[in-house]
Amino acid sequence: MTIVYISLVILLLLLIGGKLHRKKHGRNRIVHVLEKNCTRCRSCLKKCNHNVLDLVKDEKGTHIELKNPDNCTGCGDCISACRFNALELVQRVDTKSR
Ligand code: SF4
Ligand code: SF4
């Protein structure tokens, strides 16, 4: 029984450590859409809790757009939800310092 508790504690510590690591390193990263892979399935929209992504229709056609890029935490949740390898995290470019 003790081994089960120890395993659970280790698992919990790994989960918390992973989350903190993502939070720390995600600040400098932002999601990027690889248009050629995107099927417009909307799974990423449902997964993002920060209202970053939107499905828009304009002169470029229907596509995923970052409507609130400043809200992106780089958490990667949308990437996990995308089954078509259409999302990636890239280095955030600081446009304010230009
Ligand atoms: S989950 Fe992937 S394929 Fe689906 S709309 Fe989002 S980016 Fe496109
Ligand atoms: S990386 Fe996180 S915050 Fe950024 S768009 Fe994806 S789910 Fe939303």
Side-chain angles (χ1 to χ4, degrees):
M1 206 59 178
T2 313
I3 192 81
V4 175
Y5 287 126
I6 292 172
S7 300
L8 284 174
V9 169
I10 290 172
L11 186 64
L12 195 65
L13 289 174
L14 285 173
L15 284 173
I16 292 169
K19 201 157 187 144
L20 288 175
H21 179 82
R22 278 203 304 172
K23 196 170 180 180
K24 183 178 175 192
H25 293 278
R27 275 190 219 118
N28 296 327
R29 295 190 293 171
I30 188 168
V31 75
H32 173 251
V33 184
L34 299 163
E35 289 292 341
K36 63 180 172 58
N37 293 352
C38 181
T39 63
R40 288 79 172 153
C41 71
R42 303 174 62 98
S43 296
C44 54
L45 303 186
K46 295 173 196 159
K47 195 67 181 181
C48 180
N49 293 325
H50 303 279
N51 200 26
V52 175
L53 304 166
D54 196 13
L55 187 67
V56 297
K57 192 172 185 177
D58 58 19
E59 64 280 356
K60 289 195 288 180
T62 306
H63 61 102
I64 296 290
E65 192 173 84
L66 274 68
K67 69 172 173 181
N68 294 311
D70 289 348
N71 288 1
C72 184
T73 63
C75 68
D77 287 349
C78 55
I79 295 172
S80 309
C82 180
R83 293 179 289 125
F84 302 97
N85 291 323
L87 296 172
E88 63 181 357
L89 286 176
V90 296
Q91 197 68 28
R92 188 185 282 276
V93 178
D94 187 4
T95 50
K96 289 170 194 155
S97 63
R98 284 183 178 173

